[in-house]
Amino acid sequence: MGQELPVTSYALLGLLTFGDELTGYELKQRADITLRFYWVSPAMSQVYTELRRLTDAGLVEPTAEGRGQRYRITERGRRELKDWMDGTPAGFPVLKHPVLLRLLMGHVADPATIKAMLREYVDELTTALADLDEVRESLRGADAPGEAFRHPSLVADWGLAYFESEARLARETLARLDEGPLDKDL
Amino acid sequence: MGQELPVTSYALLGLLTFGDELTGYELKQRADITLRFYWVSPAMSQVYTELRRLTDAGLVEPTAEGRGQRYRITERGRRELKDWMDGTPAGFPVLKHPVLLRLLMGHVADPATIKAMLREYVDELTTALADLDEVRESLRGADAPGEAFRHPSLVADWGLAYFESEARLARETLARLDEGPLDKDL
DNA sequence: ACAGCCATGTAACTCGTTACATGATTAC
DNA sequence: GTAATCATGTAACGAGTTACATGGCTGT
């Protein structure tokens, strides 16, 4: 019906399908520990903007008035979300990967800069892995087929494997960069 | 000095560091076969906008006038690009992954929708792999350490491994989704 | 009392997109 | 001759960001 919301709206709406009611502030926190890894962490101001939009569209509703306002998804919101998932193609992921972008033009920079960048990326991945692993552990107990956090745990496992893959690729690339300049005397 | 261009400007500038002169149209094509995999494919209109901005900043210069205009990077442009790479942190990749986003809220949709989505993703990955592999093959012959396409080929190899990893994860997730509902009778 | 977190919002701005418009050159 | 590709741009718009502003509540 009233389709055509930006994907981030659906993303936030989706975070409200886990049975609880959240304030804008709490919704932002939930986005920070979930969406951030494979979508975006919207700015605080945008969370409120989206909540306003979703409310106007009747997809969420406030459960009290004044401050400390909590929002819950409506039946209409749940239907709309399902229609969106069933009726529109997901589309291919968009990756904005500044490390690969800079590696592409590696011949312009100092070799030392490139290597430092890759090492720093490995460090950041280590942190990200720890953060996501913590989230993943918090889902244990309700992650079996049919349980509430089944899908979030599948996503978390995917994310963990992705970060591990990236760390491996970064290390391999570092090694390949080291091979290079050494055998210039053959 | 005149820092603070959007990253996409630097990306396009970087595509002009491979020794040739391009029209806006050709630059867009180059972006389509390289940047698209780990950054973005800017719209045609934006390519021209960026070329204008880069020209105004003295980082690229036209080599003739009129239509069929070709642009080449200036010495200043090359310095600016290097300063940017050496002087500013790359930052962590941003992934906009609609497949994982939808999988997260898988409990809202039909199980069949989720599985169809994953199968379609595998298909799209197969296409992307073929496209990128073609690019990678075209770099052969100048991809050794010290040669012109060394870095682009490292990036392409990384991208290929990434797509393969995604395909594997999608297939594993499909398998895990199948396990689930079956043993509801134990 | 002061810091830090909880909570909500507005305003200005940038990036990047889509839609539109125009016309030259090349291929069949 | 006509379709596709090459080539260049303008205008309107939307999504999302940063900066700013406000104020309550909690712990020390």
Side-chain angles (χ1 to χ4, degrees):
Chain A
M1 302 276 175
Q3 238 129 300
E4 294 335 300
L5 294 173
V7 180
T8 300
S9 290
Y10 291 108
L12 292 175
L13 189 55
L15 293 185
L16 289 171
T17 60
F18 292 95
D20 45 5
E21 299 168 2
L22 303 180
T23 65
Y25 194 89
E26 289 166 341
L27 185 55
K28 162 69 173 161
Q29 291 179 320
R30 182 167 293 181
D32 282 343
I33 62 166
T34 53
L35 289 189
R36 118 162 119 132
F37 294 109
Y38 42 82
W39 192 251
V40 276
S41 244
M44 252 336 313
S45 66
Q46 202 198 347
V47 172
Y48 289 110
T49 304
E50 294 296 348
L51 277 175
R52 179 67 192 272
R53 176 179 357 215
L54 291 168
T55 304
D56 289 348
L59 308 183
V60 305
E61 60 188 3
T63 60
E65 70 288 339
R67 68 181 7 249
Q69 184 71 276
R70 286 174 185 280
Y71 293 86
R72 118 184 99 206
I73 191 171
T74 62
E75 253 327 294
R76 174 120 174 268
R78 213 172 273 270
R79 222 183 316 124
E80 188 82 8
L81 193 56
K82 179 169 155 54
D83 288 350
W84 174 67
M85 284 204 266
D86 291 347
T88 67
F92 202 74
V94 172
L95 186 56
K96 291 212 163 191
H97 202 311
V99 174
L100 285 178
L101 175 62
R102 285 167 181 231
L103 180 59
L104 175 81
M105 0 181 189
H107 60 287
V108 173
D110 281 333
T113 300
I114 300 296
K115 290 201 225 166
M117 172 183 74
L118 288 172
R119 277 190 295 263
E120 199 185 330
Y121 182 39
V122 171
D123 285 349
E124 289 168 349
L125 281 165
T126 306
T127 305
L129 264 167
D131 289 351
L132 184 50
D133 197 56
E134 199 180 322
V135 174
R136 207 279 167 243
E137 288 306 320
S138 75
L139 301 174
R140 301 245 179 245
D143 57 353
E147 288 183 318
F149 299 141
R150 167 66 162 168
H151 290 97
S153 64
L154 289 172
V155 170
D157 286 341
W158 187 315
L160 288 169
Y162 163 63
F163 286 147
E164 275 157 16
S165 164
E166 284 288 288
R168 205 196 66 240
L169 288 166
R171 279 189 258 258
E172 280 174 13
T173 303
L174 271 167
R176 290 179 69 184
L177 285 172
D178 277 332
E179 289 166 19
L182 295 179
D183 47 274
K184 64 169 185 285
D185 49 357
L186 87 157
Chain B
M1 298 280 174
Q3 236 129 301
E4 293 335 298
L5 294 174
V7 179
T8 300
S9 290
Y10 290 108
L12 292 175
L13 190 55
L15 293 184
L16 289 170
T17 60
F18 292 94
D20 45 5
E21 298 168 4
L22 303 180
T23 66
Y25 194 89
E26 289 166 341
L27 185 55
K28 163 68 172 159
Q29 291 179 320
R30 183 167 293 181
D32 282 343
I33 62 166
T34 52
L35 288 189
R36 124 164 111 121
F37 295 108
Y38 41 82
W39 194 251
V40 276
S41 245
M44 261 320 327
S45 66
Q46 201 198 349
V47 172
Y48 289 111
T49 305
E50 294 296 348
L51 277 174
R52 180 67 192 274
R53 174 178 2 212
L54 291 169
T55 305
D56 289 348
L59 308 184
V60 305
E61 60 189 3
T63 61
E65 72 288 339
R67 67 179 10 246
Q69 185 70 277
R70 286 175 184 280
Y71 294 86
R72 123 184 93 205
I73 191 170
T74 61
E75 254 327 295
R76 175 121 172 267
R78 213 171 273 271
R79 223 183 315 124
E80 188 82 8
L81 193 55
K82 179 169 154 54
D83 287 350
W84 174 67
M85 284 204 268
D86 291 346
T88 66
F92 201 74
V94 172
L95 185 56
K96 289 211 164 194
H97 202 310
V99 174
L100 285 178
L101 175 61
R102 285 167 181 231
L103 180 58
L104 175 80
M105 0 179 188
H107 61 288
V108 173
D110 280 333
T113 300
I114 301 296
K115 290 201 224 164
M117 173 183 75
L118 288 171
R119 276 190 296 263
E120 200 186 328
Y121 183 39
V122 171
D123 286 349
E124 289 168 349
L125 281 165
T126 306
T127 306
L129 264 167
D131 290 351
L132 184 50
D133 197 55
E134 200 180 322
V135 174
R136 206 276 170 246
E137 287 306 319
S138 75
L139 301 174
R140 301 242 179 246
D143 58 353
E147 288 184 317
F149 298 141
R150 167 67 162 166
H151 290 97
S153 64
L154 288 173
V155 171
D157 286 341
W158 187 317
L160 288 169
Y162 162 63
F163 286 147
E164 276 157 15
S165 163
E166 285 287 288
R168 206 196 65 241
L169 288 166
R171 278 189 257 260
E172 281 175 12
T173 303
L174 271 168
R176 291 180 69 185
L177 286 173
D178 277 333
E179 289 167 19
L182 295 179
D183 46 272
K184 64 170 184 283
D185 50 355
L186 87 156

